[in-house]
Short mmCIF file of all heavy atoms in Angstrom, two decimals:
data_model
loop_
_atom_site.label_atom_id
_atom_site.label_comp_id
_atom_site.label_asym_id
_atom_site.label_seq_id
_atom_site.Cartn_x
_atom_site.Cartn_y
_atom_site.Cartn_z
N LYS K 1145 60.49 71.62 95.05
CA LYS K 1145 59.47 70.60 94.79
C LYS K 1145 58.08 71.22 94.93
O LYS K 1145 57.83 72.04 95.82
CB LYS K 1145 59.61 69.45 95.78
CG LYS K 1145 58.49 68.44 95.69
CD LYS K 1145 58.56 67.44 96.82
CE LYS K 1145 57.21 66.78 97.08
NZ LYS K 1145 56.73 65.94 95.98
N ALA K 1211 100.85 85.23 98.65
CA ALA K 1211 101.83 84.22 99.09
C ALA K 1211 102.58 83.64 97.89
O ALA K 1211 103.76 83.33 97.99
CB ALA K 1211 101.12 83.11 99.86
N GLU K 1219 113.66 78.51 95.94
CA GLU K 1219 115.01 79.04 95.91
C GLU K 1219 115.26 80.03 94.78
O GLU K 1219 116.30 80.05 94.16
CB GLU K 1219 116.03 77.89 95.88
CG GLU K 1219 116.22 77.32 97.27
CD GLU K 1219 116.64 75.87 97.25
OE1 GLU K 1219 117.43 75.53 96.38
OE2 GLU K 1219 116.19 75.11 98.12
N ASP K 1223 114.74 85.94 99.26
CA ASP K 1223 115.70 85.44 100.24
C ASP K 1223 116.95 84.91 99.56
O ASP K 1223 118.06 85.14 100.05
CB ASP K 1223 115.05 84.35 101.09
CG ASP K 1223 115.86 84.06 102.34
OD1 ASP K 1223 116.10 85.03 103.08
OD2 ASP K 1223 116.29 82.93 102.52
N GLN K 1227 120.75 86.14 100.17
CA GLN K 1227 121.86 85.25 100.50
C GLN K 1227 123.01 85.45 99.53
O GLN K 1227 124.17 85.52 99.93
CB GLN K 1227 121.39 83.79 100.44
CG GLN K 1227 120.57 83.41 101.65
CD GLN K 1227 120.12 81.97 101.57
OE1 GLN K 1227 120.82 81.14 101.01
NE2 GLN K 1227 118.96 81.69 102.12
N ASN K 1234 130.94 88.38 101.51
CA ASN K 1234 131.93 87.49 102.11
C ASN K 1234 133.10 87.25 101.16
O ASN K 1234 134.26 87.28 101.55
CB ASN K 1234 131.28 86.15 102.48
CG ASN K 1234 132.27 85.23 103.18
OD1 ASN K 1234 132.63 85.46 104.32
ND2 ASN K 1234 132.74 84.23 102.47
N ASN K 1237 135.29 90.05 101.16
CA ASN K 1237 136.11 90.09 102.37
C ASN K 1237 137.36 89.23 102.20
O ASN K 1237 138.43 89.55 102.72
CB ASN K 1237 135.28 89.60 103.57
CG ASN K 1237 136.04 89.73 104.87
OD1 ASN K 1237 136.86 90.63 105.02
ND2 ASN K 1237 135.76 88.84 105.80
N GLN K 1238 137.22 88.12 101.45
CA GLN K 1238 138.38 87.25 101.22
C GLN K 1238 139.44 87.97 100.39
O GLN K 1238 140.62 87.85 100.66
CB GLN K 1238 137.95 85.96 100.51
CG GLN K 1238 137.17 85.01 101.41
CD GLN K 1238 137.04 83.64 100.78
OE1 GLN K 1238 137.50 83.41 99.67
NE2 GLN K 1238 136.41 82.73 101.49
N ASN K 1520 148.18 101.96 100.93
CA ASN K 1520 148.71 100.66 100.54
C ASN K 1520 147.94 99.51 101.16
O ASN K 1520 148.08 98.37 100.76
CB ASN K 1520 150.17 100.54 100.97
CG ASN K 1520 151.06 101.37 100.08
OD1 ASN K 1520 150.82 101.45 98.88
ND2 ASN K 1520 152.06 101.99 100.66
N ALA K 1521 147.14 99.83 102.18
CA ALA K 1521 146.49 98.76 102.93
C ALA K 1521 145.26 98.25 102.19
O ALA K 1521 144.15 98.29 102.69
CB ALA K 1521 146.11 99.26 104.32
N GLY K 1523 144.40 95.42 101.66
CA GLY K 1523 143.83 94.21 102.24
C GLY K 1523 142.92 94.52 103.40
O GLY K 1523 142.30 93.63 103.98
N ASN K 1524 142.80 95.80 103.73
CA ASN K 1524 141.91 96.17 104.82
C ASN K 1524 140.46 96.00 104.36
O ASN K 1524 140.06 96.52 103.33
CB ASN K 1524 142.18 97.63 105.20
CG ASN K 1524 141.28 98.11 106.31
OD1 ASN K 1524 140.09 97.87 106.29
ND2 ASN K 1524 141.86 98.79 107.29
N ASP K 1526 137.77 96.19 106.74
CA ASP K 1526 136.97 96.43 107.94
C ASP K 1526 135.57 96.92 107.62
O ASP K 1526 134.61 96.64 108.34
CB ASP K 1526 137.69 97.43 108.86
CG ASP K 1526 138.88 96.79 109.55
OD1 ASP K 1526 139.05 95.57 109.35
OD2 ASP K 1526 139.63 97.48 110.25
N ASN K 1536 124.31 89.69 111.68
CA ASN K 1536 124.35 88.99 112.97
C ASN K 1536 123.64 89.75 114.08
O ASN K 1536 123.84 89.45 115.25
CB ASN K 1536 125.81 88.73 113.37
CG ASN K 1536 126.53 87.94 112.31
OD1 ASN K 1536 125.94 87.06 111.70
ND2 ASN K 1536 127.78 88.27 112.06
N ASP K 1546 111.91 87.47 107.42
CA ASP K 1546 111.17 86.38 108.06
C ASP K 1546 109.86 86.90 108.63
O ASP K 1546 108.83 86.24 108.56
CB ASP K 1546 111.99 85.76 109.20
CG ASP K 1546 113.06 84.83 108.67
OD1 ASP K 1546 113.10 84.63 107.44
OD2 ASP K 1546 113.85 84.31 109.47
N GLN K 1571 77.47 74.88 103.68
CA GLN K 1571 77.16 73.53 103.22
C GLN K 1571 76.04 72.91 104.04
O GLN K 1571 75.13 72.30 103.50
CB GLN K 1571 78.42 72.69 103.35
CG GLN K 1571 78.48 71.57 102.36
CD GLN K 1571 79.75 70.79 102.60
OE1 GLN K 1571 79.77 69.89 103.43
NE2 GLN K 1571 80.80 71.12 101.89
N ASN K 1575 72.46 71.77 102.65
CA ASN K 1575 71.87 70.45 102.84
C ASN K 1575 70.47 70.57 103.40
O ASN K 1575 69.55 69.91 102.94
CB ASN K 1575 72.71 69.63 103.82
CG ASN K 1575 73.90 69.02 103.13
OD1 ASN K 1575 73.99 69.10 101.90
ND2 ASN K 1575 74.78 68.43 103.90
N SER K 1578 68.15 71.86 100.73
CA SER K 1578 67.80 70.93 99.67
C SER K 1578 67.06 69.71 100.22
O SER K 1578 66.29 69.08 99.52
CB SER K 1578 69.04 70.54 98.86
OG SER K 1578 69.79 69.62 99.58
N GLU K 1579 67.25 69.42 101.50
CA GLU K 1579 66.45 68.36 102.09
C GLU K 1579 64.98 68.75 102.13
O GLU K 1579 64.09 67.92 102.00
CB GLU K 1579 66.91 68.09 103.54
CG GLU K 1579 68.00 67.04 103.62
CD GLU K 1579 68.62 66.99 104.99
OE1 GLU K 1579 68.05 67.61 105.93
OE2 GLU K 1579 69.67 66.35 105.14
N GLY K 1582 64.08 69.93 97.90
CA GLY K 1582 64.47 69.18 96.72
C GLY K 1582 63.48 68.10 96.35
O GLY K 1582 62.49 67.86 97.04
N VAL K 1583 63.77 67.46 95.24
CA VAL K 1583 62.88 66.41 94.74
C VAL K 1583 63.41 65.06 95.19
O VAL K 1583 64.58 64.78 95.05
CB VAL K 1583 62.84 66.46 93.20
CG1 VAL K 1583 62.01 65.32 92.65
CG2 VAL K 1583 62.31 67.80 92.74
N ASN K 1584 62.52 64.25 95.76
CA ASN K 1584 62.90 62.89 96.10
C ASN K 1584 62.21 61.95 95.10
O ASN K 1584 60.98 61.88 95.02
CB ASN K 1584 62.45 62.58 97.52
CG ASN K 1584 62.77 61.16 97.92
OD1 ASN K 1584 62.84 60.28 97.08
ND2 ASN K 1584 62.95 60.95 99.21
N LEU K 1585 63.01 61.23 94.35
CA LEU K 1585 62.47 60.45 93.25
C LEU K 1585 61.47 59.40 93.73
O LEU K 1585 60.41 59.22 93.12
CB LEU K 1585 63.63 59.78 92.51
CG LEU K 1585 63.30 59.28 91.11
CD1 LEU K 1585 62.70 60.39 90.27
CD2 LEU K 1585 64.54 58.74 90.44
N GLU K 1587 59.57 59.49 96.30
CA GLU K 1587 58.33 60.18 96.65
C GLU K 1587 57.51 60.44 95.37
O GLU K 1587 56.31 60.19 95.32
CB GLU K 1587 58.72 61.51 97.29
CG GLU K 1587 57.78 62.03 98.33
CD GLU K 1587 58.40 63.26 98.99
OE1 GLU K 1587 58.60 64.29 98.30
OE2 GLU K 1587 58.73 63.18 100.18
N HIS V 985 61.22 64.42 108.14
CA HIS V 985 62.56 64.69 107.63
C HIS V 985 62.75 63.97 106.31
O HIS V 985 62.63 62.75 106.21
CB HIS V 985 63.60 64.19 108.65
CG HIS V 985 65.00 64.43 108.21
ND1 HIS V 985 65.56 65.68 108.23
CD2 HIS V 985 65.92 63.59 107.70
CE1 HIS V 985 66.80 65.59 107.77
NE2 HIS V 985 67.04 64.34 107.43
N ARG V 986 63.01 64.73 105.26
CA ARG V 986 63.15 64.12 103.94
C ARG V 986 64.62 64.08 103.56
O ARG V 986 65.39 64.92 103.95
CB ARG V 986 62.42 64.94 102.87
CG ARG V 986 61.00 65.25 103.18
CD ARG V 986 60.49 66.33 102.25
NE ARG V 986 60.37 65.86 100.86
CZ ARG V 986 60.77 66.56 99.82
NH1 ARG V 986 61.38 67.69 99.99
NH2 ARG V 986 60.60 66.10 98.61
N VAL V 987 64.95 63.05 102.80
CA VAL V 987 66.25 63.06 102.16
C VAL V 987 65.96 63.15 100.68
O VAL V 987 65.28 62.29 100.12
CB VAL V 987 67.03 61.78 102.46
CG1 VAL V 987 68.32 61.77 101.66
CG2 VAL V 987 67.32 61.68 103.92
N THR V 988 66.38 64.21 100.06
CA THR V 988 66.01 64.36 98.66
C THR V 988 67.12 63.85 97.77
O THR V 988 68.29 63.82 98.15
CB THR V 988 65.71 65.83 98.31
OG1 THR V 988 66.88 66.58 98.57
CG2 THR V 988 64.56 66.34 99.11
N THR V 989 66.70 63.46 96.56
CA THR V 989 67.66 62.90 95.62
C THR V 989 68.79 63.87 95.34
O THR V 989 69.96 63.51 95.31
CB THR V 989 66.93 62.56 94.31
OG1 THR V 989 65.71 61.92 94.65
CG2 THR V 989 67.77 61.65 93.45
N SER V 991 69.84 66.37 97.23
CA SER V 991 70.74 66.66 98.36
C SER V 991 71.72 65.52 98.57
O SER V 991 72.90 65.74 98.81
CB SER V 991 69.95 66.97 99.63
OG SER V 991 69.51 65.80 100.24
N GLU V 995 75.76 65.61 98.21
CA GLU V 995 76.61 65.13 99.29
C GLU V 995 77.61 64.08 98.77
O GLU V 995 78.80 64.14 99.06
CB GLU V 995 75.71 64.51 100.37
CG GLU V 995 76.43 64.12 101.65
CD GLU V 995 76.87 65.32 102.46
OE1 GLU V 995 76.13 66.32 102.46
OE2 GLU V 995 77.96 65.26 103.05
N ARG V 998 80.23 65.63 96.66
CA ARG V 998 81.18 66.35 97.49
C ARG V 998 82.19 65.39 98.11
O ARG V 998 83.40 65.62 98.06
CB ARG V 998 80.43 67.10 98.59
CG ARG V 998 80.77 68.57 98.59
CD ARG V 998 80.13 69.39 99.67
NE ARG V 998 78.90 68.92 100.25
CZ ARG V 998 77.72 69.47 100.03
NH1 ARG V 998 77.58 70.47 99.19
NH2 ARG V 998 76.65 69.02 100.64
N ILE V 1024 102.65 78.33 101.15
CA ILE V 1024 101.30 78.13 101.66
C ILE V 1024 100.96 76.66 101.83
O ILE V 1024 99.92 76.32 102.35
CB ILE V 1024 100.23 78.84 100.78
CG1 ILE V 1024 100.38 78.43 99.34
CG2 ILE V 1024 100.34 80.33 100.93
CD1 ILE V 1024 99.32 79.05 98.47
N ASP V 1035 114.63 79.63 107.12
CA ASP V 1035 115.74 79.86 108.05
C ASP V 1035 116.80 78.78 107.92
O ASP V 1035 118.00 79.06 107.91
CB ASP V 1035 115.23 79.87 109.50
CG ASP V 1035 114.77 81.26 109.91
OD1 ASP V 1035 114.98 82.18 109.10
OD2 ASP V 1035 114.23 81.41 111.01
N LYS V 1037 117.40 76.75 105.42
CA LYS V 1037 118.13 76.82 104.15
C LYS V 1037 119.18 77.92 104.19
O LYS V 1037 120.30 77.77 103.70
CB LYS V 1037 117.15 77.10 103.00
CG LYS V 1037 116.33 75.90 102.64
CD LYS V 1037 115.59 76.11 101.35
CE LYS V 1037 114.99 74.79 100.90
NZ LYS V 1037 114.09 74.95 99.77
N ARG V 1038 118.80 79.03 104.82
CA ARG V 1038 119.73 80.15 104.93
C ARG V 1038 120.93 79.76 105.78
O ARG V 1038 122.08 80.02 105.43
CB ARG V 1038 118.97 81.31 105.57
CG ARG V 1038 119.73 82.61 105.57
CD ARG V 1038 118.95 83.65 106.33
NE ARG V 1038 117.71 84.00 105.68
CZ ARG V 1038 116.62 84.38 106.36
NH1 ARG V 1038 116.62 84.43 107.67
NH2 ARG V 1038 115.52 84.71 105.71
N ASN V 1041 123.26 77.55 103.95
CA ASN V 1041 124.06 78.34 103.02
C ASN V 1041 125.20 79.04 103.75
O ASN V 1041 126.35 79.05 103.29
CB ASN V 1041 123.11 79.35 102.35
CG ASN V 1041 123.82 80.26 101.37
OD1 ASN V 1041 125.03 80.38 101.41
ND2 ASN V 1041 123.07 80.90 100.50
N ARG V 1042 124.87 79.60 104.92
CA ARG V 1042 125.91 80.31 105.67
C ARG V 1042 127.01 79.35 106.12
O ARG V 1042 128.19 79.71 106.10
CB ARG V 1042 125.31 81.00 106.91
CG ARG V 1042 124.31 82.09 106.54
CD ARG V 1042 123.99 82.97 107.73
NE ARG V 1042 125.12 83.83 108.07
CZ ARG V 1042 125.09 84.72 109.06
NH1 ARG V 1042 124.03 84.85 109.79
NH2 ARG V 1042 126.14 85.47 109.30
N VAL V 1045 129.39 78.85 103.46
CA VAL V 1045 130.28 80.00 103.33
C VAL V 1045 131.35 79.96 104.42
O VAL V 1045 132.54 80.15 104.16
CB VAL V 1045 129.47 81.31 103.42
CG1 VAL V 1045 130.38 82.51 103.56
CG2 VAL V 1045 128.58 81.46 102.20
N ASN V 1049 135.36 79.74 104.14
CA ASN V 1049 136.27 80.67 104.80
C ASN V 1049 137.30 79.93 105.65
O ASN V 1049 138.48 80.27 105.65
CB ASN V 1049 135.48 81.62 105.72
CG ASN V 1049 134.72 82.66 104.91
OD1 ASN V 1049 134.96 82.83 103.72
ND2 ASN V 1049 133.80 83.34 105.56
N THR V 1122 147.93 94.25 106.02
CA THR V 1122 146.89 94.55 105.04
C THR V 1122 147.43 95.20 103.77
O THR V 1122 146.68 95.49 102.86
CB THR V 1122 145.79 95.44 105.65
OG1 THR V 1122 146.41 96.54 106.31
CG2 THR V 1122 144.94 94.66 106.64
N ASN V 1123 148.74 95.43 103.71
CA ASN V 1123 149.32 95.92 102.46
C ASN V 1123 149.54 94.75 101.50
O ASN V 1123 150.64 94.48 101.06
CB ASN V 1123 150.69 96.57 102.71
CG ASN V 1123 150.53 97.95 103.32
OD1 ASN V 1123 149.42 98.37 103.61
ND2 ASN V 1123 151.64 98.64 103.50
N GLN V 1125 149.26 93.94 98.57
CA GLN V 1125 149.81 93.99 97.22
C GLN V 1125 151.26 94.46 97.20
O GLN V 1125 151.86 94.61 96.14
CB GLN V 1125 148.95 94.90 96.33
CG GLN V 1125 147.54 94.39 96.14
CD GLN V 1125 147.51 92.96 95.64
OE1 GLN V 1125 148.01 92.66 94.55
NE2 GLN V 1125 146.95 92.05 96.43
N GLU V 1152 146.22 98.74 111.64
CA GLU V 1152 145.43 98.01 110.64
C GLU V 1152 146.20 96.87 110.02
O GLU V 1152 146.71 97.00 108.93
CB GLU V 1152 145.00 98.97 109.53
CG GLU V 1152 144.17 100.13 110.01
CD GLU V 1152 142.89 99.65 110.64
OE1 GLU V 1152 142.35 98.63 110.15
OE2 GLU V 1152 142.44 100.26 111.61
N GLN V 1156 140.51 89.32 108.41
CA GLN V 1156 139.65 88.40 109.13
C GLN V 1156 138.57 87.80 108.23
O GLN V 1156 138.08 88.46 107.32
CB GLN V 1156 138.94 89.13 110.28
CG GLN V 1156 139.90 89.71 111.29
CD GLN V 1156 139.16 90.39 112.41
OE1 GLN V 1156 138.23 91.14 112.17
NE2 GLN V 1156 139.58 90.14 113.64
N GLU V 1158 134.85 85.39 108.45
CA GLU V 1158 133.84 84.92 109.40
C GLU V 1158 133.82 83.39 109.38
O GLU V 1158 133.73 82.77 108.33
CB GLU V 1158 132.46 85.46 109.00
CG GLU V 1158 131.43 85.35 110.10
CD GLU V 1158 130.10 85.98 109.71
OE1 GLU V 1158 129.83 86.07 108.50
OE2 GLU V 1158 129.34 86.36 110.61
N GLU V 1161 128.71 82.41 113.15
CA GLU V 1161 127.95 83.65 113.23
C GLU V 1161 128.65 84.68 114.11
O GLU V 1161 128.79 84.51 115.32
CB GLU V 1161 126.54 83.39 113.75
CG GLU V 1161 125.73 84.67 113.76
CD GLU V 1161 124.24 84.43 113.90
OE1 GLU V 1161 123.80 83.32 113.58
OE2 GLU V 1161 123.55 85.36 114.32
N ILE V 1295 62.88 53.24 93.27
CA ILE V 1295 61.63 52.46 93.23
C ILE V 1295 61.34 52.01 91.81
O ILE V 1295 60.64 51.04 91.58
CB ILE V 1295 60.48 53.32 93.83
CG1 ILE V 1295 59.29 52.44 94.18
CG2 ILE V 1295 60.08 54.41 92.89
CD1 ILE V 1295 58.28 53.16 95.06
#
Side-chain angles (χ1 to χ4, degrees):
Chain K
K1145 173 189 158 65
E1219 280 153 38
D1223 195 56
Q1227 284 180 32
N1234 183 72
N1237 185 31
Q1238 288 193 358
N1520 286 324
N1524 179 314
D1526 286 356
N1536 303 323
D1546 282 357
Q1571 208 181 85
N1575 279 353
S1578 77
E1579 270 169 12
V1583 176
N1584 178 332
L1585 198 54
E1587 212 173 65
Chain V
H985 180 74
R986 307 166 69 224
V987 175
T988 60
T989 316
S991 80
E995 187 71 35
R998 234 182 335 252
I1024 53 177
D1035 272 354
K1037 286 191 169 172
R1038 188 185 294 149
N1041 179 342
R1042 296 194 72 178
V1045 169
N1049 286 346
T1122 49
N1123 284 4
Q1125 297 306 299
E1152 301 298 325
Q1156 299 181 315
E1158 196 176 24
E1161 183 165 338
I1295 196 166

